[in-house]
Amino acid sequence: EKIIRLHDVEEIDVVIPIPDTARTSALQCAYKLQKTYREGFIKNRYIARTFIMPGQETRKKTVRLKLNTIRSEFKGKNVLLVDDSIVRGTTSMELVKMARDAGANKVFFVSAAPPVRFPNVYGIDIPTKTELVAHQRTEDEVAECI
């Protein structure tokens, strides 16, 4: 509903999830927007979660090892990428680049979770809040970052 409220959904040709955790959100999003749902990324199951890896350069390189695009799902289309969350923004930035490299005309990116602005001291190992892309930024500023 927020996507409908904030964007011209007529521009969107296809909804593509970021495997594996965003599939259910992307399916519901495609249904609500009355858009085609397609799998556009193939996940390498032997690469761990990138947002918990040490070092920014390691995280950036690993994203492209973890996911590969199916070019035919992107070429000439305006795609809405759906992810479960945006933590540091590293994965999101690389995914947008990958979608463009695969031939997408336009790339829209949404997160199923609210902005992660503060570390979770009971779970994910993120030492400082300054590493979080949404810390002290509005949603529009996060969009500019990714």
Side-chain angles (χ1 to χ4, degrees), residues 1 4 21 27-28 40-42 50 63 103 124 126 135 139:
E1 291 173 2
I4 294 169
T21 54
L27 275 166
Q28 183 61 28
F41 292 99
I42 301 293
T50 53
V63 171
I124 302 167
I126 299 173
H135 180 70
E139 289 181 19

Side-chain angles (χ1 to χ4, degrees), residues 36-107:
T36 303
Y37 170 92
R38 301 294 296 174
E39 292 285 339
F41 292 99
I42 301 293
K43 183 177 179 181
N44 179 341
R45 304 221 181 266
Y46 301 103
I47 303 290
R49 302 279 307 210
T50 53
F51 73 89
I52 58 175
M53 293 183 165
Q56 183 66 7
E57 277 308 306
T58 302
R59 288 189 293 270
K60 270 178 102 169
K61 288 178 186 173
T62 307
V63 171
R64 287 191 179 255
L65 293 174
K66 181 172 90 168
L67 294 166
N68 293 293
T69 56
I70 302 171
R71 294 185 75 79
S72 61
E73 300 300 342
F74 292 92
K75 190 166 177 66
K77 298 176 186 169
N78 296 333
V79 300
L80 173 65
L81 301 181
V82 180
D83 204 351
D84 62 342
S85 63
I86 302 171
V87 181
R88 287 184 175 96
T90 306
T91 300
S92 307
M93 285 184 255
E94 286 300 311
L95 291 169
V96 169
K97 286 179 193 170
M98 289 170 70
R100 288 185 178 135
D101 291 346
N105 288 336
K106 275 190 175 180
V107 180

